[in-house]
């Protein structure tokens, strides 16, 4: 497989460091939004049972999900599909860039959702740092900061994840 494709990240892969740990060739194209969607931490992780981000379709025009469009190698999709794992379905959708242009992208939509899930502290940390890194509006960042978290029962995993951003502190 050759060439590149556009990927819309709205969860932990907002963080360039996080995504490049998975796909070193990833290149930021634009900040973008999906109207009629909102960010929810209600996709159940089949690995640890915690809450992961989901692009939740509300069909309400006042709702918008912010994210980042990356250009990634087509050959990276199989690996990203495995990382995202079952519980997400990769779909082709249209996003609006900050420039006003629209792009057709691939993204992951949660198919195993459950209310009242809590993300791991390190997971929210990735999402929060990515939102700050890309200059998301203060109210959007504050909403992510306000999401309750749980401590990871596997300290080694938490340490590994936090180590991706050694100079930062989660607020």
């Amino acid at each position: 497989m050759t060439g590149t494709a556009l990927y819309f990240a709205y969860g932990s892969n907002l963080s360039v460091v996080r995504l490049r740990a998975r796909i070193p060739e990833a290149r930021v194209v634009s900040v973008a939004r999906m109207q009629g969607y909102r960010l929810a931490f209600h996709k159940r992780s089949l690995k640890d049972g915690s809450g992961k981000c989901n692009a939740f379709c509300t069909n309400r025009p006042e709702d918008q999900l912010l994210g980042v469009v990356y250009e990634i190698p087509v050959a990276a999709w199989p690996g990203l599909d495995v990382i995202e794992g079952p519980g997400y379905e990769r779909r082709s959708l249209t996003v609006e860039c900050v420039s006003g242009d629209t792009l057709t992208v691939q993204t992951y939509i949660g198919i195993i959702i459950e209310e009242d899930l809590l993300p791991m502290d390190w997971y929210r940390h990735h999402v929060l740092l990515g939102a700050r890194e890309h200059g998301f509006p203060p109210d959007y960042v504050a909403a992510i900061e306000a999401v309750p978290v749980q401590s990871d029962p596997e300290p080694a995993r938490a340490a590994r994840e936090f180590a991706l951003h050694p100079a930062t502190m989660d607020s």
Side-chain angles (χ1 to χ4, degrees):
M1 289 185 269
T2 60
T4 60
L6 298 177
Y7 164 52
F8 179 73
Y10 56 84
S12 67
N13 287 336
L14 282 174
S15 163
V16 173
V17 170
R18 167 81 160 171
L19 184 60
R20 286 193 179 143
R22 295 169 162 185
I23 305 173
E25 309 85 359
R27 184 182 70 80
V28 174
V29 173
S30 179
V31 170
R33 71 173 160 256
M34 289 172 40
Q35 286 303 126
Y37 287 79
R38 69 172 174 81
L39 182 64
F41 285 80
H42 65 194
K43 186 269 177 189
R44 176 174 284 283
S45 168
L46 297 179
K47 294 176 185 167
D48 62 27
S50 69
K52 303 296 185 199
C53 286
N54 183 32
F56 184 63
C57 182
T58 65
N59 290 317
R60 295 172 34 179
E62 65 270 19
D63 288 339
Q64 66 176 350
L65 173 69
L66 298 180
V68 176
V69 176
Y70 290 97
E71 183 177 59
I72 65 171
V74 170
W77 283 118
L80 192 55
D81 288 343
V82 168
I83 289 168
E84 295 301 327
Y88 280 113
E89 178 179 274
R90 183 161 38 110
R91 294 188 191 159
S92 180
L93 298 167
T94 300
V95 297
E96 181 182 351
C97 298
V98 291
S99 65
D101 294 337
T102 58
L103 294 173
T104 300
V105 298
Q106 297 283 306
T107 196
Y108 293 91
I109 304 293
I111 55 174
I112 300 176
I113 59 174
E114 197 174 302
E115 297 306 316
D116 301 322
L117 294 174
L118 294 178
M120 298 292 182
D121 49 3
W122 56 261
Y123 181 84
R124 186 192 67 179
H125 186 73
H126 290 312
V127 179
L128 185 57
L129 292 178
R132 289 178 180 155
E133 176 181 2
H134 297 290
F136 287 10
D139 61 332
Y140 199 91
V141 173
I144 297 168
E145 287 173 330
V147 171
V149 297
Q150 62 179 311
S151 295
D152 194 329
E154 294 184 30
R157 176 175 53 197
R160 191 173 53 249
E161 292 294 337
F162 277 119
L164 287 174
H165 303 282
T168 61
M169 303 245 339
D170 200 346
S171 32

